[in-house]
Amino acid sequence: MQFPDDDNGQLLQEIAEAGIDLTQFHLVDFFILFEQKPQAESFIKAISEDELAPLTQLQQCKDTGVWEVITSVKMVPDHQLLGQTEQYLESIANAHEGYGDGWGILAQE
């Protein structure tokens, strides 16, 4: 399988090489960072009303104090769709003073 030569393509290749079937649905976690908890909470409120991404978690990084919202989306991890979803979530995050910090898929046990 060929992957585009960019960050998402490289990550998809690594995931495929780890044995994850990229033709199946997975929960893809998108990471959005905020300096302040109220902005993170307002993002969660906005995104929880969206059918695309109703699953969110909020946690604070112990080292940096930055607030991280993990937004889980059930999808087939297609390169183009991942990029579009990242852009969409970041557009909402930007309105709440947040920014995207990538995505990942947890390996199934």
Side-chain angles (χ1 to χ4, degrees):
M1 184 177 242
Q2 292 287 342
F3 297 97
D5 186 20
D6 62 12
D7 290 342
N8 282 347
Q10 182 179 353
L11 187 52
L12 282 170
Q13 182 173 352
E14 291 170 9
I15 290 170
E17 288 171 357
I20 294 176
D21 184 351
L22 298 178
T23 65
Q24 301 297 314
F25 278 91
H26 296 278
L27 269 182
V28 178
D29 294 328
F30 293 87
F31 305 99
I32 309 292
L33 304 180
F34 299 85
E35 295 296 325
Q36 303 294 321
K37 187 176 183 182
Q39 284 87 5
E41 291 171 335
S42 67
F43 171 77
I44 288 172
K45 185 176 187 300
I47 201 69
S48 67
E49 297 168 358
D50 191 309
E51 291 182 14
L52 171 71
L55 301 174
T56 59
Q57 300 173 47
L58 175 62
Q59 60 192 28
Q60 186 175 28
C61 177
K62 293 176 181 144
D63 296 330
T64 64
V66 172
W67 292 90
E68 177 180 62
V69 176
I70 303 169
T71 303
S72 301
V73 178
K74 187 172 186 173
M75 63 190 295
V76 174
D78 169 76
H79 184 269
Q80 183 175 352
L81 185 56
L82 285 164
Q84 291 170 341
T85 305
E86 275 186 305
Q87 287 179 345
Y88 174 70
L89 292 173
E90 285 188 32
S91 72
I92 297 169
N94 290 340
H96 299 275
E97 299 179 37
Y99 54 94
D101 192 35
W103 59 271
I105 298 173
L106 290 178
Q108 304 293 326
E109 294 187 15

